[in-house]
Structure formats: C-alpha cells, structure tokens
Amino acid sequence: MFEIKPIFSALLRSKSGPLLIILQLALTLAVVANAGHIIQERLELMARDTGIAESELIGFTVSEMHMDKDFISQRRQDEQALRAIPGVIDASASNQIPLTNSGSSTTISSSLEENGVDLNIGYFQGNEHLFTTLGLTLVEGRAFTANDIMTDFKLGALPTQVMLSRYAAELYFPGESAVGKQVYLRDTPIEVIGVYDRLQTPWAQRSHTYASALIPMENASFFARYLVRAEAGQRDAVLKQIEQTLLKVDPDRVISGLRTFDQIRERAYRNDNAMAKMLGVVIMLLLVVTALGVVGLASYSVGQRRKQIGTRRALGATRTAIVRHFLTENLMICLAGVFLGSLGALALSQYLMNHYELTRLPLFYLWTTMVGLVVLSQLAAAAPALRAARISPALATRSV
C-alpha cells in the first residue's frame, strides 16, 4: 500500500538531497530538545518563590564613612527614621538581601557526631523587626523578641538561638520537629526556637538556596543592607523618600543600590532570562530552516518526477496515491533524521551535564521534539505533494 521498497530504491538513486535533510533534522532535534530543556529549567528557576513579601519590599546598602562610629546605635536611628516614613510597615538592617548574589553563609551541623548533617546555611542577621520586614511565614515555634537580640556582643561572639527555614529544619531533623533542638556552629550549641516556611539566600543559582537561618544579632559592621516594607501601593512613594530620610539622620554615608525587590529579582535572573530568550530564537530559526529544507527537497523531487507522475496518473493512479507516495518518502527521510537526532540529543545532553552542570535531558523533551519534527516535516511536504497530485496526465505526456 505504501510502496516502501520502490520509494527506498528511488532515495538510494539520489542520496545527496535526502542525506542533507536527514542531517538537518538530526541537528535540529539534538539542539531543540536540549534547548527546550534548558529554557524550562531557567523558567522554573526564575519563577521560584523567595518566601518574602516581594511586592512590598525595598532594599539598599549603606556604607558608613567614619569607622569610629557606634554602628549599632546608628542602625537603630536609621530604622526608627525609616519606620516614620508614611506608608512604611516595618524596616530592618541586616547583613544581606535575598537574590543579590552577595552575603554570608556558614556551615551548621545537626550533631557533633560524625553522622550529623552538615549544611552550608545562608544566615541573615537582624533584630526582632527583621522577621516582620521580610514578611516570613512562621511554621512552628516563635519569632525573635527584643529580649533575644544580642546587643553587646564582642568580636567573634556566637548566637545562642536561631530560626531555621523549613528546608533546613527538615534536612537536619527529618520527620521531627526542630523546635527546641540544638544545632552546632563551631562546636557551639545553638537552640532552634522557630521554623519559618522559606527564605531564599542571596545566591539564586546555588544548590540548597532555601537553606537559610535568622540570627538574633544586629549588624555592627560599617557596611549594612537595609530592607524596608511598604504598604500596598505605597512602595514607589516610600522609595523616593528613603535616601533623603537617611541623609537627614547622618549625611556622612553612601547609600547605594536603592531598588524595589522587583528590580532586585530582575537583576538576579538577567542572564537566565537572556539565555532563555536566545535559545527560544535559536529554536525558532532551526525549525524554520528545517521546514524550508523539507519543502525544497520535496519540491525538487516533484519537479524531477513530472514524467513519472504523469505516467502513473495515466495508468490510473489516483491523486491520493500520488500524495501518499511523496508523504511516505518524506516520512522515511524524517524517521532516519529523528533516529540520528535522538542519539545526538542524548550525547549533547551528556556533554552539557559534564561541562555545564545541567541536569540530564528528560525523555519527555526527546519524545516531544521527535513527534513535533515529524509533524512539521509532513506539513512542510504536504504542499509539494498536493501540487504533484494536480499534475495532469496529458500535460505530463506532452512534456516527454
């Protein structure tokens, strides 16, 4: 019915054109499947929830000019001035801001024994206002109060209490409540007093990005990050007043990076967004070029076989049989291409895993791309095949 053998014989007599299309389809499959996978990974990365009240937050950095200043006292004056701005819910100084790619982390262990869980934690220093300012969700235990905050610590002093993210708590104490238990920093026990839902660290691309902790310790450095939480619809108005307000408190300082959290998020994922768009353009170009290649080969094949088509039509071949012949021929070429392309896609995925720390290509992307290419190829070959079916037997005979 599908005349596989004579079609295959015809392809062998003119191998160069079909071979080029097979290679083109293979290349397209290998690139499109992996590019689609990478785009999906980037989209999932950019869509992750930081766990904070993003739409209400403003972040910035303050660098003091005089090293002999009482920095903790300065932080408190700044926070008080910021909270006095109309439309501000709360404000707090800290040592870092989520997604800024700059901050502090340390290794905290669940036990001093060898079988304990060691986890590199991104920790946020701050007073009792930090939890409210970030807009975190308490899961169990309690948040810090003013009595928990270390105010007169010496250099190198370690906290005695900590709040953990749910992610970190479940890694440390799987299947158990972490509240009331102890974790260890430099062999020093620290009591877990509360667990919040999630808080992403400054490093968006890092594994364990949700492994975070709040430490009740004010920032005594000359350099501090500030977070301001504004009421709904008031963020832009608050943003315009922050610099002027802080300079009124003390003009000898540098305020930089004053942004809404939407802008912080956009900067954090700028490269991922650009990569996703670039790969999307590559996919579109490859698909267009492949479709044009199939159309070109099918049209050339029809042009070269006008005599043969006319003869078949004169001998009684129906138009459906002519269309089926060319679509079957194209399908055979396409299947050879997707077979080679699937091998190439897996090889390319392995290379990307080894050199760029990407995850293995899921078979879903491979199968989806294979089916998509077969459909695209058949649609591209349909127009030349229909044109071949319209060739009149008499016209073909006159052209002999």
Side-chain angles (χ1 to χ4, degrees), residues 78 242-255:
D78 291 343
I242 286 177
E243 185 170 1
Q244 182 181 6
T245 299
L246 291 182
L247 291 179
K248 280 185 179 178
V249 176
D250 185 347
D252 293 333
R253 54 176 61 189
V254 176
I255 301 170

Side-chain angles (χ1 to χ4, degrees), residues 19-83:
L19 184 59
L20 287 175
I21 296 300
I22 289 172
L23 294 176
Q24 187 173 350
L25 286 164
L27 175 65
T28 301
L29 175 59
V31 174
V32 169
N34 282 281
H37 174 46
I38 293 172
I39 289 174
Q40 183 59 31
E41 282 196 336
R42 291 295 178 272
L43 293 179
E44 290 176 356
L45 185 74
M46 291 187 286
R48 287 192 301 190
D49 180 13
T50 55
I52 62 179
E54 294 188 20
S55 62
E56 302 172 352
L57 282 175
I58 299 167
F60 56 95
T61 301
V62 173
S63 302
E64 304 292 347
M65 303 298 291
H66 302 291
M67 296 300 104
D68 57 346
K69 183 185 292 186
D70 180 350
F71 296 124
I72 290 184
S73 176
Q74 183 66 66
R75 306 277 179 264
R76 293 171 182 170
Q77 292 178 47
D78 291 343
E79 290 179 358
Q80 190 173 4
L82 290 169
R83 291 184 201 116

